[in-house]
């Protein structure tokens, strides 16, 4: 019985150490079974409490997903270490089960209320005593990295709100630029989101728990924003190939590469090299309606809608399937052109602000000082 306990305890400790190294230490985007299981389990539990309340209820419930995952990770590691050291102490001593686990807990959490004169167990007690603070310290050091990546991401998502509305939508980005004559700012937007896509591809693949961190506003989402910017770039390249900025191509490449890296980190099945004519869920009718909306804002296409569709299709096939899968897993806001969700929902169009320009022929009254 003792040797079985020792082998089992050693195996548990190895698994705990392996999970900690893969999740917190190795900067490689290694798959973490613990993170995935916590994400899957807690997400389903939270959705059960808000399933009938619509997206607003889902969003309120899922706000707690990331904090609960962080607490769950720490509890799982400390609990696993407690179990492993308890089994090993029982195997290498004449202690009873209760006494062995009491001493393991005393050493692991550095409480010091249980001790013994057995010299051969001192090494195990010292290792257990070091394990608890080290695990907690690693978790504490993990948080600034997460929140730094979160802040970089949310800054760009917040800046996108005035360009794309809430929730973001690709055609709306182009429409707003042509409505207010700021289309020359699009190259800068594409360059900013190219860098952000590369940043998110690295940080979110390395630390998948970032996928559970939601934006401060319910109708904002980093994932929906990325899809919107990619759709805007794809539409501009398809409709105006001669005048579309080169930054649009670079942004698209960075965007779907980042999505594939993130999907691979959570083991989502994706086609890394889809054919340009592979089917997509977005229909030609939806694309045609978006182009018609754009033309009303003063946008002038160089290609007809029929001519532009194969080109837009060829761009979107690179990221649509993986984007839809990540939106579903993240319970992102159900924006236009972002696919179905696991909860009942209808696509939410962005709300465009009212035009506040003064009527023609009416002088604008200057503001008065109070």
């Amino acid at each position: 019985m003792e040797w079985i306990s020792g082998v089992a305890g050693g195996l548990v400790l190895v698994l705990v150490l392996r999970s900690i190294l893969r999740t917190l230490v190795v900067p490689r985007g290694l798959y973490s079974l613990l993170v995935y299981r916590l994400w899957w389990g807690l997400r389903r539990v939270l959705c059960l409490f808000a399933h009938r309340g619509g997206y607003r209820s889902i969003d309120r419930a899922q706000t707690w997903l990331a904090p609960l995952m962080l607490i769950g990770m720490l509890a799982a590691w400390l609990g696993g270490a407690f179990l492993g050291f308890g089994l090993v102490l029982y195997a290498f001593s004449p202690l009873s089960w209760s006494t062995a686990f009491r001493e393991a807990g005393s050493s692991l959490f550095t409480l010091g209320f249980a001790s013994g004169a057995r010299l051969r167990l001192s090494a195990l007690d010292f290792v257990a005593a070091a394990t608890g603070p080290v695990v907690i310290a690693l978790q504490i050091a993990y948080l600034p990295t997460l929140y730094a990546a979160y802040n970089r991401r949310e800054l760009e998502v917040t800046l996108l709100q005035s360009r794309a509305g809430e929730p973001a939508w690709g055609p709306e980005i182009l429409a707003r630029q042509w409505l207010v004559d700021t289309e020359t700012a699009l190259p800068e937007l594409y360059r900013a989101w190219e860098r952000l896509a590369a940043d998110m591809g690295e940080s979110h693949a390395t630390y998948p728990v970032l996928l559970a961190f939601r934006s401060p506003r319910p109708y904002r989402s980093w994932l929906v924003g990325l899809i919107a910017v990619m759709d805007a770039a794809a539409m501009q390249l398809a409709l105006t190939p001669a005048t579309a900025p080169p930054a649009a191509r670079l942004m698209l490449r960075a965007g779907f590469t980042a999505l594939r890296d993130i999907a691979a980190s959570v083991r989502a099945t994706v086609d890394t090299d889809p054919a340009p004519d592979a089917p997509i869920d977005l229909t030609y009718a939806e694309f045609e309606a978006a182009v018609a909306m754009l033309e009303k804002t003063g946008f002038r296409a160089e290609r007809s809608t029929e001519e532009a569709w194969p080109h837009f299709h060829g761009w979107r096939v690179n990221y649509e399937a993986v984007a839809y899968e990540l939106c579903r897993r993240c319970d992102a806001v159900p924006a236009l052109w972002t696919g179905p969700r696991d909860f009942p929902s209808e696509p939410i169009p962005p709300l465009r602000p009212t035009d506040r320009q003064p009527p023609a022929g009416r002088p604008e009254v200057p503001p008065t000082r109070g």
Side-chain angles (χ1 to χ4, degrees), residues 19-324:
S19 177
I20 293 172
L21 292 176
R22 290 174 71 89
T23 305
L24 302 182
V25 180
V26 181
R28 190 64 184 270
L30 300 177
Y31 180 77
S32 174
L33 183 62
L34 173 62
V35 173
Y36 179 78
R37 291 300 181 187
L38 280 173
W39 183 14
W40 184 86
L42 291 172
R43 172 176 170 258
R44 290 185 66 87
V45 170
L46 291 171
C47 283
L48 288 176
F49 288 101
H51 191 70
R52 297 185 177 181
Y55 170 69
R56 283 274 190 173
S57 296
I58 291 288
D59 179 72
R60 283 194 296 269
Q62 294 298 328
T63 300
W64 294 97
L65 178 58
L68 289 176
M69 284 181 63
L70 293 174
I71 294 172
M73 289 160 56
L74 182 60
W77 289 326
L78 291 177
F82 171 68
L83 174 63
F85 282 116
L87 291 172
V88 172
L89 284 170
Y90 175 78
F92 284 88
S93 72
L95 299 176
S96 65
W97 284 104
S98 60
T99 305
F101 279 97
R102 182 171 178 265
E103 184 162 330
S106 171
S107 300
L108 182 65
F109 298 104
T110 63
L111 299 176
F113 64 82
S115 61
R118 298 161 306 281
L119 181 62
R120 64 176 178 172
L121 295 184
S122 295
L124 286 174
D125 290 333
F126 288 148
V127 173
T131 300
V134 167
V135 172
I136 295 173
L138 285 174
Q139 180 81 330
I140 292 173
Y142 182 58
L143 294 180
T145 302
L146 293 181
Y147 282 100
Y150 174 79
N151 289 335
R152 291 195 303 270
R153 185 188 83 186
E154 293 305 316
L155 173 62
E156 294 298 333
V157 174
T158 302
L159 289 173
L160 185 66
Q161 184 270 335
S162 62
R163 300 172 184 249
E166 289 185 359
W169 183 40
E172 183 71 9
I173 294 177
L174 299 179
R176 291 196 181 199
Q177 308 317 302
W178 263 264
L179 276 172
V180 295
D181 298 324
T182 56
E183 61 271 15
T184 55
L186 283 171
E188 180 184 354
L189 174 70
Y190 295 145
R191 284 191 289 269
W193 276 81
E194 179 194 358
R195 294 187 63 85
L196 180 62
D199 187 350
M200 292 191 298
E202 185 275 330
S203 59
H204 289 53
T206 304
Y207 307 112
V209 71
L210 281 167
L211 298 175
F213 279 80
R214 303 181 74 84
S215 295
R217 297 278 293 270
Y219 292 116
R220 290 180 191 169
S221 167
W222 66 271
L223 187 51
V224 170
L226 179 59
I227 297 169
V229 177
M230 294 174 73
D231 282 338
M235 287 192 73
Q236 194 171 8
L237 287 168
L239 292 166
T240 58
T243 57
R249 289 178 176 270
L250 300 176
M251 188 275 142
L252 277 165
R253 179 68 185 181
F256 64 71
T257 300
L259 290 176
R260 291 172 185 175
D261 289 344
I262 295 170
S265 71
V266 295
R267 293 194 176 176
T269 303
V270 295
D271 186 356
T272 58
D273 188 22
D277 58 349
I280 62 174
D281 290 342
L282 189 73
T283 64
Y284 173 75
E286 292 175 294
F287 178 72
E288 185 179 33
V291 174
M293 181 272 292
L294 275 179
E295 290 175 345
K296 293 179 181 178
T297 66
F299 182 90
R300 293 293 175 262
E302 299 165 6
R303 287 182 176 138
S304 68
T305 306
E306 291 184 1
E307 292 173 333
W309 169 249
H311 297 274
F312 177 77
H313 181 285
W315 281 114
R316 201 169 206 267
V317 75
N318 290 291
Y319 59 89
E320 185 190 79
V322 62
Y324 282 14

